[in-house]
Amino acid sequence: KMMGNNATIANLKAVVTEYWGIELTDEQVDKIIHYSKNYSGKYSSSPAIPIPLHYALSRVVSEEHTIVGWSTHGHTGGNVPFWVYGLDLPSGLISNSDVGKIAKNVVGGEMLDDCLYIDLDKTHLSWSVNLSDVKNEHAIVEGFKFPLNSDHFFANNVRQKTLPGITVYASITGKLYISSQAIEQVMSLKKHNRMLLRGSNTQ
């Protein structure tokens, strides 16, 4: 994001130095810039999908400046390093599912459940989930479209302002969760639409 579309040797070196504190050589930067072209066929999850610049950056920097290695550009079952500072947290081996629980307790505990993740089955709102298109998985809540795992929704095909949480669908339990602010916005828009409809009917 910091580089934008300006992936030059000078800019890449400057950004990595400023934000990571790592001095890259010209050879390393050249390898990063040309990594997608040279290695997509070998490492990409699909030969038709080129490896993006940030993947190339992480791989080259890891190989040259850390002791971290990568077997693929996707998920594996191997352990990964996890650093935390300023907090008294457990050390050793931590289950990935426990990381979210630890973060939750640090930033607000149960208050997050009351704010960010409202079980819609416990509300009066009607909803459904459409998983037929993997690139367009979404929920329909009272007629409004909520893209899954996103922090916004659409009303009449117009994107509404960013929400404080994301829309979560738990396929195993069949539960849908959205933030309390999202619910408030849905109710406000429904009320506005009813007023418009009432006004048009009186004319």
Side-chain angles (χ1 to χ4, degrees):
K1 289 182 179 180
M2 299 300 177
M3 289 183 294
N5 296 321
N6 186 21
T8 62
I9 290 179
N11 192 36
L12 187 53
K13 288 178 69 173
V15 170
V16 172
T17 298
E18 179 178 357
Y19 292 98
W20 288 9
I22 295 176
E23 298 284 346
L24 296 176
T25 66
D26 289 349
E27 291 76 17
Q28 290 169 349
V29 176
D30 185 71
K31 183 178 180 181
I32 292 169
I33 292 175
H34 294 93
Y35 197 93
S36 178
K37 176 181 177 181
N38 295 335
Y39 295 100
S40 285
K42 179 178 180 181
Y43 293 117
S44 180
S45 57
S46 172
I49 303 176
I51 295 174
L53 181 64
H54 65 273
Y55 270 39
L57 175 63
S58 65
R59 188 171 190 109
V60 174
V61 170
S62 296
E63 291 174 350
E64 302 286 345
H65 294 274
T66 76
I67 58 172
V68 177
W70 306 90
S71 57
T72 73
H73 285 281
H75 291 285
T76 69
N79 296 330
V80 297
F82 183 64
W83 291 273
V84 176
Y85 64 91
L87 299 171
D88 183 18
L89 295 176
S91 60
L93 191 63
I94 302 173
S95 172
N96 64 342
S97 59
D98 287 336
V99 174
K101 297 175 184 177
I102 293 171
K104 172 184 172 181
N105 290 334
V106 169
V107 300
E110 298 302 323
M111 289 189 300
L112 290 180
D113 291 336
D114 298 332
C115 178
L116 298 182
Y117 303 109
I118 308 299
D119 180 357
L120 288 192
D121 283 344
K122 296 181 179 179
T123 71
H124 62 280
L125 300 178
S126 64
W127 63 272
S128 62
V129 172
N130 187 329
L131 305 177
S132 60
D133 183 355
V134 69
K135 295 182 179 180
N136 186 32
E137 295 181 336
H138 62 275
I140 300 296
V141 180
E142 294 290 335
F144 301 103
K145 182 179 179 180
F146 282 75
L148 298 185
N149 307 312
S150 298
D151 60 357
H152 60 274
F153 72 101
F154 293 88
N156 298 323
N157 294 321
V158 177
R159 176 172 170 157
Q160 303 301 300
K161 67 179 183 180
T162 301
L163 300 167
I166 64 174
T167 300
V168 176
Y169 176 64
S171 58
I172 294 178
T173 61
K175 297 283 189 178
L176 183 70
Y177 302 87
I178 63 176
S179 67
S180 59
Q181 183 174 322
I183 293 176
E184 292 173 0
Q185 289 191 41
V186 165
M187 299 306 297
S188 176
L189 287 169
K190 282 188 61 180
K191 181 179 180 181
H192 178 70
N193 290 342
R194 285 196 300 268
M195 292 177 63
L196 290 178
L197 181 61
R198 190 176 300 122
S200 63
N201 289 337
T202 59
Q203 293 179 359

